[in-house]
Amino acid sequence: MAGLNQSRAPIFEALKAYRAARIVPFDVPGHKQGRGNPELTEFLGKDCLSVDVNSMKPLDNLCHPVSVIRQAEQLAAQAFGASHAFFIVNGTSSAVQAMVMSCCKRGEKIILPRNVHRSAINALVVCGAVPVYVNPGVEKSLGIPLGMTTEDVKRAIEAHPDAKAVLVNNPTYYGVCSDLKAIVGLAHQAGMKVLADEAHGTHFYFGEGLPLSAMAAGADMAAVSMHKTGGSLTQSSFLLTGPSMSEGYVRQIINLTQTTSGSYLLLSSLDISRRNLALHGKEIFDKVVRFAEYARAEINKIGGYNAFSRELTRHPAVADFDVTKLSVHTRDIGLAGIEVYDILRDDYGIQIEFGDLGNMLAIISVGDTELMLERLISALSEIKRIYAKDKIGLFDHEYINPLVEMTPQDAFYAEKRPVPIAQSAGLISGEFVMSYPPGIPVLAPGERITSEIVEYVAYAKAKGCFLTGTQDAEIEHIMTV
């Protein structure tokens, strides 16, 4: 890829040329550069609507790129240290699914941590691959799932030498990283691919002193959520591949599920954001780290909160920690993370990323200001003063070991009947139950429902967690096999 110029943004440049040419549109979309929908144009802006366009020769085609999108892919691959980079406009969920389906067919095994995002298990439902779950470590004082220990992955590989791939979270939602380089070595020695869910790890490729990125660790594929910490529009991501993967085959897999009408708003946002990170990523993420470390220190001074960090690496299931993640344990002030989440939004006008039963997560980015951080810190101080209470009765963990009885595909498509969740213990689930965000299933298709899970779901509902996954919108009933 020598000779590529990271100051270029081919898709963005082509869209500007298209707009300057004042083309008369007799193609889709039907709003015709915004003229057909004045209210939408007023809301989003004429400049935006003028480049919400369809694939055409000067703008290339996402399904089979040969010009400007192809050039933008090559620039992205160089910036991320990958052999190839695919533009994804169906969200990182689509990239995760493409990774799994590129490596596994029906009946083939994949080794993965159970605290994966629902998109990975959705891929198993679609393609019929068989999960071999590695239970993550658990930090008991925080109640959160961690990474996979190298020893546990080694045992899984030895017990299932026919597995095709190992999937690793890099990092988890909370910022925890497994020893990806060691896992890559073990998997490759056994002839298995390594897939990294880097939905929350874009900055690993550009910042200094951060955990190792998947491509640098030698992984075969990585799903990178540019919109989370890289600055692009929501739903836009990259799928990165190493030299072991066939570009043509992976594109065929992506095209099974990705739209044929790729949004040029999303594509150009990826192109512009890649250029920005390639040119300025180091200073951008230096600032993010500095902001996050400052907020962490100030929150810990309040007392009662635990804004945790690299001290977690004392645990064998934590090889590194992403210090840009402002993860805060709240249970010691007698409040669930979701309760702090709600109070921050409703009483203080502050929207954080998520709250679970014991923790909350605030995403820190280059778009933040010192004033915004001070508002968050002072709000948490007031919340402690006003709402703190005894923590007796709070649920003390987020992760429940699964009892897998059937493959996700077999259970999802099996004959099912609805049962009240309160009466479902002992039955096999035919659907998901999860809190979103973060979208990690409490229960996945094919897993046996236990009394502990029933208790967890009832408690999460009572605390105000946003539960999803069941056919029943009220989450009162669950479809069982």
Side-chain angles (χ1 to χ4, degrees), residues 35-57:
R35 288 185 292 272
N37 195 335
E39 189 175 16
L40 184 64
T41 304
E42 182 183 3
F43 180 60
L44 294 180
K46 185 178 178 182
D47 285 348
C48 176
L49 271 291
S50 71
V51 291
D52 179 37
V53 292
N54 190 31
S55 296
M56 59 188 75
K57 245 183 188 176

Side-chain angles (χ1 to χ4, degrees), residues 171-300:
T172 69
Y173 225 128
Y174 300 98
V176 170
C177 296
S178 303
D179 190 343
L180 185 55
K181 193 171 184 67
I183 291 170
V184 167
L186 289 170
H188 284 176
Q189 192 174 6
M192 301 175 190
K193 304 291 189 193
V194 176
L195 319 176
D197 180 348
E198 285 190 314
H200 295 272
T202 303
H203 44 294
F204 292 1
Y205 290 88
F206 302 98
E208 288 192 339
L210 295 173
L212 194 65
S213 71
M215 289 295 104
D220 300 281
M221 304 183 80
V224 179
S225 243
M226 274 289 280
H227 69 92
K228 286 187 168 67
T229 58
S232 65
L233 291 177
T234 295
Q235 202 175 310
S236 60
S237 296
F238 284 123
L239 176 57
L240 309 177
T241 58
S244 68
M245 303 303 300
S246 161
E247 177 195 334
Y249 181 67
V250 172
R251 197 181 301 279
Q252 284 183 329
I253 295 295
I254 291 170
N255 285 341
L256 291 175
T257 55
Q258 177 149 266
T259 178
T260 55
S261 304
S263 164
Y264 279 86
L265 300 178
L266 298 181
L267 293 172
S268 60
S269 81
L270 283 169
D271 200 23
I272 294 167
S273 299
R274 179 272 314 154
R275 179 175 70 178
N276 186 42
L277 294 185
L279 298 178
H280 310 295
K282 180 181 178 297
E283 53 264 41
I284 285 172
F285 294 117
D286 279 351
K287 178 183 175 183
V288 172
V289 169
R290 191 170 69 252
F291 273 15
E293 294 285 33
Y294 169 75
R296 184 177 291 111
E298 292 300 306
I299 291 168
N300 283 333

Side-chain angles (χ1 to χ4, degrees), residues 7 15 60 99 116 128 166 178 266 309 326 360:
S7 65
L15 284 170
D60 210 354
M99 288 198 304
V116 288
V166 180
S178 303
L266 298 181
S309 185
L326 186 58
M360 52 160 269

